[in-house]
Amino acid sequence: MQVYFIRHGIAVERQPGIDENERWLTDKGIKRTQKVAKRLAESDCQFDCILTSPLVRAKQTAEILQEAKLGKPMLEFAPLAPGGNISAWIQWLSEEEGKDVQSIALVGHEPDLGHWAEQIIWGQVQDKLVLKKAGVIGVSVENRVSPLGQGTMFLLVPPKFLL
């Protein structure tokens, strides 16, 4: 299985009066994310499923991936919100919706996505992988039931290399 960790695009800054969960992508964030999605599509990247954090900026990023014909369905997945736990995703993989997924995009936030990738690659968080906004980490996993420490990273791309 191939797992693509994709951080949301550039969003409006934190500010009084705007709920953290409601921050949206800026025009620059939309354009950059569209370019990244286009490049992924040009490299024949295809997702069986796109799981996204329920926060607005992540859902907008997932919608851009879907519009670029990179994958469907797109499902909201609460554990991808900040502070989410990777064990919920591992459980999801064994359930009906996740059983046949061979290529998946997980759209969310830092530092969680970097931590999840590290747990799959090294079996523990090492604070070594940093995912820029609209950046992508690709990890190949053979053991879906117990993927922690079993992954091989095949892609680590900041958005500037995809633009």
Side-chain angles (χ1 to χ4, degrees), residues 4 32-47 64-65 67-71 155 159 161-163:
Y4 292 83
R32 273 196 169 180
T33 305
Q34 287 171 332
K35 287 179 182 177
V36 167
K38 181 180 179 201
R39 288 295 302 270
L40 288 172
E42 289 170 353
S43 65
D44 294 326
C45 188
Q46 188 66 40
F47 310 123
I64 291 169
L65 296 173
E67 289 166 6
K69 309 281 191 254
L70 286 168
L155 184 67
F161 290 112
L162 293 171
L163 300 178

Side-chain angles (χ1 to χ4, degrees), residues 143-159:
N143 185 344
R144 300 164 61 94
V145 176
S146 182
L148 301 183
Q150 304 297 312
T152 303
M153 184 168 51
F154 63 85
L155 184 67
L156 175 58
V157 187

Side-chain angles (χ1 to χ4, degrees), residues 84-144:
N85 191 314
I86 193 170
S87 61
W89 174 67
I90 294 169
Q91 175 64 37
W92 180 88
L93 284 174
S94 68
E95 295 171 358
E96 195 60 39
E97 288 178 302
K99 276 186 179 176
D100 297 325
V101 171
Q102 294 304 311
S103 181
I104 188 168
L106 302 178
V107 181
H109 314 271
E110 273 295 285
D112 299 323
L113 290 177
H115 289 170
W116 284 26
E118 290 175 344
Q119 289 175 20
I120 291 173
I121 297 165
W122 298 305
Q124 63 186 0
V125 173
Q126 297 192 6
D127 286 321
K128 304 270 187 219
L129 297 177
V130 177
L131 194 53
K132 299 288 187 183
K133 291 177 182 160
V136 182
I137 297 173
V139 178
S140 178
V141 178
E142 296 297 321
N143 185 344
R144 300 164 61 94

